[in-house]
Short mmCIF file of all heavy atoms in Angstrom, two decimals:
data_model
loop_
_atom_site.label_atom_id
_atom_site.label_comp_id
_atom_site.label_asym_id
_atom_site.label_seq_id
_atom_site.Cartn_x
_atom_site.Cartn_y
_atom_site.Cartn_z
N MET A 1 0.86 -1.18 0.01
CA MET A 1 0.00 0.02 -0.01
C MET A 1 0.90 1.24 0.00
O MET A 1 1.58 1.54 0.96
CB MET A 1 -0.90 0.03 1.24
CG MET A 1 -1.90 -1.04 1.31
SD MET A 1 -3.10 -0.91 2.65
CE MET A 1 -2.08 -0.63 4.05
N GLN A 7 -0.79 15.63 3.75
CA GLN A 7 -0.91 16.12 5.13
C GLN A 7 -2.27 16.84 5.37
O GLN A 7 -2.89 16.59 6.43
CB GLN A 7 0.25 17.07 5.44
CG GLN A 7 1.59 16.39 5.57
CD GLN A 7 1.60 15.40 6.78
OE1 GLN A 7 0.99 15.64 7.77
NE2 GLN A 7 2.32 14.34 6.59
N ARG A 13 -9.36 14.42 7.46
CA ARG A 13 -9.98 13.14 7.74
C ARG A 13 -10.00 12.76 9.23
O ARG A 13 -10.98 12.28 9.75
CB ARG A 13 -9.26 12.03 6.95
CG ARG A 13 -9.55 12.07 5.50
CD ARG A 13 -8.59 11.06 4.77
NE ARG A 13 -8.76 11.16 3.32
CZ ARG A 13 -9.50 10.29 2.63
NH1 ARG A 13 -10.10 9.34 3.23
NH2 ARG A 13 -9.64 10.44 1.32
N ILE A 14 -8.91 13.01 9.88
CA ILE A 14 -8.81 12.70 11.33
C ILE A 14 -9.76 13.55 12.13
O ILE A 14 -10.49 13.03 13.00
CB ILE A 14 -7.34 12.85 11.80
CG1 ILE A 14 -6.49 11.73 11.17
CG2 ILE A 14 -7.28 12.75 13.32
CD1 ILE A 14 -4.99 11.83 11.45
N ALA A 19 -14.83 13.94 15.01
CA ALA A 19 -16.08 14.68 15.21
C ALA A 19 -17.30 13.76 15.05
O ALA A 19 -18.27 13.77 15.84
CB ALA A 19 -16.18 15.83 14.26
N PHE A 25 -21.31 9.62 21.48
CA PHE A 25 -21.28 9.82 22.94
C PHE A 25 -21.99 11.10 23.37
O PHE A 25 -22.49 11.18 24.50
CB PHE A 25 -19.82 9.84 23.43
CG PHE A 25 -19.10 8.58 23.03
CD1 PHE A 25 -18.19 8.60 21.98
CD2 PHE A 25 -19.35 7.41 23.70
CE1 PHE A 25 -17.50 7.43 21.64
CE2 PHE A 25 -18.66 6.25 23.35
CZ PHE A 25 -17.77 6.26 22.29
N GLY A 27 -24.39 14.76 21.92
CA GLY A 27 -25.23 15.18 20.80
C GLY A 27 -26.40 14.20 20.65
O GLY A 27 -26.97 13.74 21.57
N PRO A 28 -26.73 13.89 19.37
CA PRO A 28 -27.88 13.00 19.12
C PRO A 28 -27.66 11.57 19.57
O PRO A 28 -28.64 10.84 19.68
CB PRO A 28 -28.09 13.10 17.62
CG PRO A 28 -26.82 13.59 17.07
CD PRO A 28 -26.14 14.40 18.12
N GLN A 29 -26.46 11.16 19.86
CA GLN A 29 -26.15 9.80 20.32
C GLN A 29 -26.72 8.71 19.42
O GLN A 29 -27.39 7.80 19.87
CB GLN A 29 -26.57 9.62 21.75
CG GLN A 29 -25.86 10.52 22.72
CD GLN A 29 -26.28 10.35 24.12
OE1 GLN A 29 -27.30 9.75 24.42
NE2 GLN A 29 -25.47 10.89 25.06
N THR A 30 -26.46 8.88 18.11
CA THR A 30 -26.93 7.84 17.17
C THR A 30 -25.75 6.97 16.77
O THR A 30 -24.59 7.36 16.79
CB THR A 30 -27.47 8.51 15.90
OG1 THR A 30 -26.44 9.17 15.23
CG2 THR A 30 -28.62 9.43 16.26
N VAL A 35 -19.69 5.77 11.67
CA VAL A 35 -19.19 5.97 10.27
C VAL A 35 -17.91 6.76 10.30
O VAL A 35 -17.07 6.65 9.41
CB VAL A 35 -20.30 6.68 9.45
CG1 VAL A 35 -19.80 7.09 8.06
CG2 VAL A 35 -21.51 5.79 9.29
N LEU A 37 -15.35 6.16 11.78
CA LEU A 37 -14.16 5.26 11.82
C LEU A 37 -13.50 5.22 10.45
O LEU A 37 -12.29 5.05 10.38
CB LEU A 37 -14.58 3.86 12.24
CG LEU A 37 -14.82 3.69 13.74
CD1 LEU A 37 -15.35 2.27 14.05
CD2 LEU A 37 -13.57 3.97 14.56
N LEU A 41 -9.60 6.04 10.22
CA LEU A 41 -8.68 4.99 9.89
C LEU A 41 -7.89 5.32 8.60
O LEU A 41 -6.68 5.07 8.53
CB LEU A 41 -9.36 3.65 9.77
CG LEU A 41 -9.88 3.08 11.10
CD1 LEU A 41 -10.65 1.80 10.91
CD2 LEU A 41 -8.72 2.84 12.08
N LEU A 44 -5.29 7.81 9.47
CA LEU A 44 -4.19 7.29 10.28
C LEU A 44 -3.21 6.42 9.44
O LEU A 44 -2.00 6.48 9.62
CB LEU A 44 -4.72 6.48 11.46
CG LEU A 44 -5.41 7.32 12.53
CD1 LEU A 44 -5.99 6.41 13.59
CD2 LEU A 44 -4.46 8.30 13.14
N ASN A 60 2.66 14.92 -1.47
CA ASN A 60 3.71 15.69 -2.15
C ASN A 60 4.97 14.86 -2.15
O ASN A 60 5.82 15.02 -1.29
CB ASN A 60 3.94 17.03 -1.44
CG ASN A 60 2.73 17.94 -1.55
OD1 ASN A 60 2.00 17.85 -2.53
ND2 ASN A 60 2.54 18.78 -0.56
N LYS A 61 5.06 13.99 -3.10
CA LYS A 61 6.22 13.12 -3.19
C LYS A 61 7.34 13.77 -4.01
O LYS A 61 7.06 14.43 -5.01
CB LYS A 61 5.84 11.77 -3.84
CG LYS A 61 4.85 10.99 -3.05
CD LYS A 61 4.46 9.75 -3.78
CE LYS A 61 3.33 9.07 -3.02
NZ LYS A 61 2.80 7.93 -3.77
#
Side-chain angles (χ1 to χ4, degrees):
M1 293 186 313
Q7 289 296 326
R13 287 171 184 262
I14 291 172
F25 304 104
Q29 297 181 343
T30 65
V35 172
L37 285 174
L41 291 176
L44 291 175
N60 293 331
K61 296 178 186 172

